[in-house]
Amino acid sequence: MAFDIEMIKKVYGTMAARVDKARELVGRPLTLSEKILYSHLWEGTPSQAFSRGKDYVDFAPDRVACQDATAQMALLQFMHAGKKTVAVPTTVHCDHLIQAKVGATADLAVANSQSKEVFDFLSSVSNKYGIGFWKPGSGIIHQIVLENYAFPGGMMIGTDSHTVNAGGLGMLAIGVGGADAVDVMSGMSWELKFPKLIGVKLTGKLNGWTAPKDVILKVADILTVKGGTGAIVEYFGEGAINMSCTGKGTICNMGAEIGATTSTFGYDDSMRRYLAATGRQDVVDAADTVADYLTGDAEVYANPSQYFDELIEINLSELEPHINGPFTPDRGTPVSKMKEEAAKNEWPLKVEWGLIGSCTNSSYEDMARAASIVEQAVAHGITPKAEFGINPGSEQIRYTIERDGIIATFEKMGTKVFTNACGPCIGQWDRAGADKGEKNTIVHSFNRNFSKRADGNPNTHAFVTSPEMVAALAISGDLSFNPITDTLLNDKGEAVKLLPPTGDELPKRGFDVEDAGFQAPAEDGSSVQVAVSETSDRLQLLAPFDAWDGKNISGAKLLIKAFGKCTTDHISMAGPWLRFRGHLDNISNNMLIGAVNAYNQEANKVKNQLTGEYAAVPAVARAYKAAGVPSIVVGDQNYGEGSSREHAAMEPRFLGVKAVLVKSFARIHETNLKKQGMLALTFANEADYDKIQENDTINFLDLTEFAPGKPLTLEFVHEDGSKDIILANHTYNESQIGWFVAGSALNLIAANA
């Protein structure tokens, strides 16, 4: 039986009436995305039609999921909410704090020792507040959600940007910051600007070397890393129906890389097969009673240009395998073009590592198809030229692929089998030699390939591709190798051409596992003690942020003017810093250390206007805070792209930054800043970015008149006494202004409690 089956039945029990009413109000057929949105309104039955990209709407998500790195801060905040238990089904998954180095057994033992304090905290706080807890080694959050919790037509939020993975099972699953999760866990509504809709019509059928991964790699190339901002991407068409459920999950997962609110597919037989195979026939039976409401209306898919704000068409029969990168996931190169692109850009052709796994591509089908390439190489006497590593998506996947001989196949090539965890995908990789900073190439099936993300080396050129292409490129050791046309030499000097990959969508003998790693919470957690040591360097109880004093901010100093791409990895790095995710003071020492200072083109070196000396960004911020001087951060396009980590918003707030002024924001980061009581502002005129000088002092002239739809006026006083008046736009509504006034959204929750 599925987890929370009664909740799922309740969702389906109200869906038909709510969708029918929404269709009446909107006055036209509905997309799947609209059906799910309108059936999850906080008010219940819809009473009005909403404008896409304009109206802020309150929703009632069905569940919440948190990974261990973000769960710490989310649950530390929830402890302030004054609640006895969570209001909706919630889970915590320990997948981020496990470093890949030697292999699964040794690496997990090290993590359990080094992070015992954090795991014990998460276990106890979950036990106390009615939260399901998935132990270290149980698997990656999004794979476990797909296997156990996702259901067609549902809505969930998660404290990880790749929560969107659950769209592969027909959900609207949305990545958020911890403060948003706290709202929902506390029984409050969750606010979202009603998204725009991007339709992707898939025709034809995947064949040969082309995989579901290539669909999203192509879409990322078309839309870029910010092209999906503020929108839901809805996939449909014969090509979508012909694809596996986990393949759909891969496509939805990487929708985070185009900035999309989420992505989804309509309910179909692939979802029925997957639900049944993972022990959830009861969900299939319930979903089938409202199947027509779990996909877009027929008229929508017949005439999609009339119903979507943007439409993309991709013929899967003609789609070529893609290799995206380096340094950004939206730079797409078809495999047939890689040789010339690599030469033109001087990318290293020698592939040093091939990595398969992460939440994006760690399903049974992914592992089976990649293993089929390895099996061919072994059979033909081909020696791999690169090192190889895999991260199974869950203990259920690991156990099943071990039973079916897939792990043994990988091990024939010396593959390192890492823990069922994120590992290298999030920088949790102790890669030998990375500290040398040598220029090199790796290929992986992950979702992100920002500079330094995997191994900390800024000169590692990371390319994103499908698991089967990772296998082929790692075996060949050559980035320009095209398995469709090229051959490899075996140990006899014979030219061998690899056949296209094969692999079962689902295990023929079914999934199996001895211990999935789940811990159910106590029936009554009132007596459970959650201990946080005052001397801990890993965990720190939170103190509320100060409320706004009602006055204009004046005398603020420019902390940093960030140049170019500034992702959440630049603002709050992962890797070794993950250990401090539960300690706001300690982790604040990584604030913006990866951002490039526009004035000297160096990272982590900014001017302290109080002393005239240059120092690390956190040190200068602390100096301003100690002196009672507010500060602001200025940034470029799509500021805060990447992870949902709210630490990237909490750290500046903690260190005295009052506002972040940029050309444009990534959605989740903008919301996180708002939730923490900060001012998230955008230039009314992007060219004003160039007017800001290194020694500027900033005064807000009309913050006392802060109101929805009304730009704020900032005065930038330059070192020579001259001034520039700059208009800053914002997207705050009345309730969000309330967060700013109170000092944070959590302050309001606690006050209401």
Side-chain angles (χ1 to χ4, degrees):
M1 178 181 288
F3 285 97
D4 310 306
I5 185 62
E6 294 307 316
M7 176 271 286
I8 295 171
K9 290 179 177 178
K10 185 177 178 181
V11 171
Y12 292 155
T14 61
M15 180 167 273
R18 293 181 179 185
V19 171
D20 288 344
K21 183 62 178 178
R23 195 184 289 112
E24 175 189 325
L25 290 166
V26 175
R28 57 168 172 76
L30 298 178
T31 65
L32 167 64
S33 304
E34 290 172 310
K35 290 180 180 181
I36 300 176
L37 290 168
Y38 277 106
S39 65
H40 283 83
L41 297 176
W42 181 253
E43 66 177 333
T45 302
S47 61
Q48 68 177 102
F50 296 105
S51 297
R52 299 176 191 167
K54 180 180 178 182
D55 292 334
Y56 279 95
V57 182
D58 289 334
F59 292 99
D62 301 313
R63 65 177 314 111
V64 175
C66 310
Q67 41 94 332
D68 50 354
T70 53
Q72 296 169 66
M73 198 59 70
L75 294 176
L76 285 166
Q77 291 178 84
F78 180 76
M79 290 170 66
H80 281 273
K83 304 294 182 179
K84 291 184 178 181
T85 187
V86 290
V88 301
T90 302
T91 51
V92 166
H93 305 259
C94 295
D95 61 358
H96 274 55
L97 299 178
I98 305 168
Q99 189 177 56
K101 182 177 181 179
V102 179
T105 302
D107 293 346
L108 181 58
V110 169
N112 277 323
S113 174
Q114 291 182 343
S115 295
K116 183 179 187 302
E117 178 184 15
V118 172
F119 294 147
D120 287 349
F121 164 73
L122 293 174
S123 173
S124 64
V125 77
S126 296
N127 202 27
K128 182 174 183 65
Y129 293 110
I131 298 169
F133 180 72
W134 289 83
K135 302 172 185 177
S138 61
I140 305 171
I141 175 174
H142 311 304
Q143 180 67 32
I144 289 180
V145 166
L146 200 69
E147 290 177 359
N148 296 277
Y149 300 112
F151 65 97
M155 175 185 277
M156 68 173 286
I157 62 172
T159 61
D160 188 284
S161 55
H162 294 105
T163 300
V164 294
N165 188 81
L169 255 175
M171 291 194 88
L172 288 189
I174 302 169
V176 299
D180 277 355
V182 171
D183 284 356
V184 176
M185 289 189 288
S186 300
M188 299 174 63
S189 62
W190 173 64
E191 184 185 68
L192 178 72
K193 184 182 287 187
F194 205 84
K196 293 183 178 181
L197 299 177
I198 298 173
V200 180
K201 182 178 181 179
L202 302 178
T203 60
K205 188 174 184 179
L206 294 170
N207 62 85
W209 283 87
T210 309
K213 183 71 161 235
D214 296 304
V215 176
I216 186 58
L217 294 179
K218 178 66 174 177
V219 170
D221 187 47
I222 294 170
L223 289 176
T224 79
V225 290
K226 62 177 183 176
T229 303
I232 293 174
V233 183
E234 184 171 324
Y235 293 85
F236 62 94
E238 194 64 28
I241 294 172
N242 288 331
M243 201 178 296
S244 69
C245 179
T246 52
K248 293 178 172 73
T250 290
I251 293 170
C252 292
N253 181 293
M254 267 196 74
E257 273 49 75
I258 58 172
T261 301
T262 192
S263 304
T264 195
F265 286 78
Y267 180 53
D268 61 17
D269 282 343
S270 72
M271 297 182 190
R272 291 184 176 92
R273 293 192 298 271
Y274 185 75
L275 286 165
T278 51
R280 291 174 287 172
Q281 183 62 44
D282 47 354
V283 176
V284 176
D285 295 340
D288 281 345
T289 65
V290 289
D292 289 344
Y293 293 88
L294 302 177
T295 190
D297 286 336
E299 298 93 329
V300 170
Y301 295 157
N303 302 286
S305 61
Q306 298 179 25
Y307 300 96
F308 291 98
D309 298 291
E310 185 175 353
L311 180 64
I312 296 170
E313 295 191 33
I314 298 175
N315 184 341
L316 301 184
S317 300
E318 300 174 355
L319 183 63
E320 190 176 345
H322 275 58
I323 305 169
N324 284 29
F327 307 128
T328 186
D330 61 349
R331 183 172 185 169
T333 303
V335 64
S336 63
K337 304 292 185 184
M338 179 52 78
K339 184 173 292 186
E340 63 180 89
E341 282 296 306
K344 183 169 62 178
N345 294 283
E346 297 183 345
W347 297 334
L349 288 180
K350 182 183 178 183
V351 175
E352 306 276 356
W353 266 90
L355 297 158
I356 295 173
S358 90
C359 58
T360 326
N361 280 108
S362 53
S363 68
Y364 185 90
E365 181 181 36
D366 290 328
M367 296 295 175
R369 283 172 63 86
S372 75
I373 305 304
V374 173
E375 190 70 64
Q376 289 184 61
V378 171
H380 287 292
I382 298 171
T383 302
K385 303 299 191 296
E387 294 190 76
F388 216 119
I390 63 170
N391 285 79
S394 68
E395 174 58 14
Q396 179 169 268
I397 292 292
R398 188 212 63 79
Y399 189 94
T400 304
I401 64 175
E402 181 177 55
R403 180 201 67 190
D404 292 352
I406 292 174
I407 285 182
T409 295
F410 279 118
E411 289 179 334
K412 290 175 185 176
M413 280 205 158
T415 302
K416 284 189 177 181
V417 181
F418 295 124
T419 313
N420 314 318
C422 303
C425 182
I426 58 162
Q428 282 284 55
W429 184 22
D430 188 356
R431 181 186 177 188
D435 56 338
K436 297 178 182 178
E438 295 175 343
K439 187 175 180 179
N440 74 103
T441 285
I442 65 173
V443 293
H444 60 57
S445 68
F446 307 158
N447 38 51
R448 293 191 176 135
N449 57 345
F450 304 142
S451 175
K452 299 194 287 186
R453 182 171 175 91
D455 62 3
N457 178 3
N459 297 313
T460 292
H461 291 53
F463 292 86
V464 182
T465 190
S466 67
E468 38 272 76
M469 281 296 298
V470 169
L473 294 173
I475 290 166
S476 72
D478 183 358
L479 182 65
S480 67
F481 175 69
N482 182 351
I484 301 172
T485 59
D486 299 346
T487 59
L488 298 171
L489 290 178
N490 66 8
D491 53 5
K492 298 177 182 178
E494 300 166 335
V496 176
K497 187 175 180 182
L498 298 173
L499 298 175
T502 58
D504 292 330
E505 172 186 321
L506 297 163
K508 288 187 173 68
R509 296 162 57 193
F511 287 105
D512 202 358
V513 67
E514 286 186 348
D515 179 7
F518 176 70
Q519 171 188 292
E523 288 288 333
D524 179 4
S526 58
S527 61
V528 175
Q529 296 297 311
V530 179
V532 177
S533 170
E534 291 184 4
T535 60
S536 172
D537 68 350
R538 299 290 300 271
L539 298 166
Q540 179 187 50
L541 295 176
L542 295 174
F545 290 130
D546 293 335
W548 179 45
D549 63 6
K551 302 176 183 178
N552 279 318
I553 298 168
S554 60
K557 299 298 183 182
L558 177 67
L559 178 61
I560 185 173
K561 179 178 172 179
F563 174 80
K565 187 185 280 284
C566 191
T567 71
T568 48
D569 280 358
H570 295 89
I571 305 168
S572 176
M573 289 183 177
W577 290 95
L578 285 171
R579 67 188 306 269
F580 298 123
R581 284 282 180 87
H583 197 293
L584 184 55
D585 193 5
N586 284 346
I587 199 169
S588 292
N589 288 322
N590 80 357
M591 185 192 73
L592 285 159
I593 64 175
V596 175
N597 182 356
Y599 302 109
N600 58 17
Q601 295 299 304
E602 294 187 54
N604 204 26
K605 187 176 181 181
V606 297
K607 189 172 185 178
N608 181 337
Q609 293 188 48
L610 302 181
T611 65
E613 298 175 349
Y614 285 84
V617 183
V620 174
R622 289 183 187 275
Y624 289 154
K625 180 181 179 181
V629 175
S631 60
I632 79 164
V633 169
V634 171
D636 213 317
Q637 297 279 9
N638 207 29
Y639 184 87
E641 168 194 346
S643 170
S644 69
R645 70 190 66 146
E646 64 182 339
H647 300 78
M650 296 186 77
E651 292 171 34
R653 179 74 167 100
F654 179 71
L655 293 184
V657 176
K658 299 298 183 183
V660 179
L661 173 63
V662 301
K663 292 180 181 178
S664 65
F665 282 108
R667 174 190 63 85
I668 298 176
H669 187 62
E670 180 183 21
T671 301
N672 285 347
L673 290 169
K674 291 179 179 181
K675 286 278 185 175
Q676 300 305 331
M678 293 184 68
L679 293 169
L681 310 173
T682 55
F683 290 100
N685 179 3
E686 290 185 2
D688 286 343
Y689 171 91
D690 297 322
K691 295 179 179 178
I692 296 171
Q693 300 177 20
E694 187 172 28
N695 296 304
D696 280 352
T697 298
I698 304 99
N699 302 310
F700 284 74
L701 303 183
D702 53 5
L703 184 58
T704 53
E705 301 166 26
F706 193 17
K710 183 180 183 296
L712 292 173
T713 309
L714 284 68
E715 177 186 67
F716 284 76
V717 183
H718 307 310
E719 189 175 22
D720 63 3
S722 63
K723 301 176 181 178
D724 274 306
I725 303 298
I726 290 177
L727 277 183
N729 293 331
H730 65 83
T731 59
Y732 287 76
N733 57 29
E734 289 287 0
S735 63
Q736 293 170 347
I737 290 175
W739 303 341
F740 171 74
V741 172
S744 72
L746 182 60
N747 286 357
L748 280 182
I749 294 175
N752 291 336

